[in-house]
């Protein structure tokens, strides 16, 4: 995948994730985007940061002193070291820290 293709699919994924929080109460999860970085601040103080990393051709996510590096995998994103997938992992984090079930 070349840089332009990666930039396009990564931006689409981040935008889709941002859109998924449109109906979530900002008191539960406050969503902000700046320079291609998606930041989710949970009501318990947990911060989840998601961004694309062009050089590595990955989407990176950090939360609760853990970091994931997700590679494009079919229709989704998967961490090669752990097998974790971006959307289910993010869904679990949000549920664990807010009690809110987000459909991603």
């Amino acid at each position: 995948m070349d840089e332009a293709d990666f930039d396009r699919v990564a931006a689409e994924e981040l935008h889709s994730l941002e859109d998924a929080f449109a109906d979530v109460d900002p008191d539960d999860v406050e969503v902000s985007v700046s320079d291609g970085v998606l930041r989710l601040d949970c009501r318990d103080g947990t911060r989840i940061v998601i961004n694309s990393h062009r050089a590595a051709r990955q989407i990176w996510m950090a939360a609760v002193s853990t970091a994931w590096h997700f590679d494009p995998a079919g229709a989704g994103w998967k961490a090669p070291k752990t097998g974790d997938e971006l959307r289910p992992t993010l869904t679990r984090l949000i549920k664990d820290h807010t009690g809110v079930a987000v459909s991603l």
Side-chain angles (χ1 to χ4, degrees):
M1 175 179 304
D2 67 21
E3 280 187 6
D5 287 338
F6 172 78
D7 286 344
R8 181 184 49 77
V9 297
E12 287 172 0
E13 181 68 11
L14 292 175
H15 185 71
S16 177
L17 293 175
E18 177 187 4
D19 286 349
F21 287 89
D23 294 330
V24 174
D25 186 335
D27 287 339
D28 290 325
V29 181
E30 184 177 339
V31 179
S32 61
V33 178
S34 178
D35 295 327
V37 177
L38 176 63
R39 185 172 133 177
L40 308 169
D41 290 298
C42 300
R43 69 173 167 219
D44 72 350
T46 300
R47 178 176 293 155
I48 302 169
V49 179
I50 307 167
N51 66 288
S52 65
H53 192 281
R54 179 187 295 154
R57 304 281 200 286
Q58 295 176 320
I59 288 181
W60 290 4
M61 181 169 71
V64 196
S65 69
T66 303
W68 295 263
H69 298 167
F70 298 99
D71 291 333
W77 297 82
K78 190 173 189 171
K81 290 184 180 181
T82 63
D84 293 337
E85 294 181 35
L86 173 59
R87 289 176 179 241
T89 302
L90 180 55
T91 299
R92 179 183 51 78
L93 286 169
I94 295 297
K95 180 75 172 169
D96 290 351
H97 293 280
T98 67
V100 174
V102 177
S103 178
L104 303 174

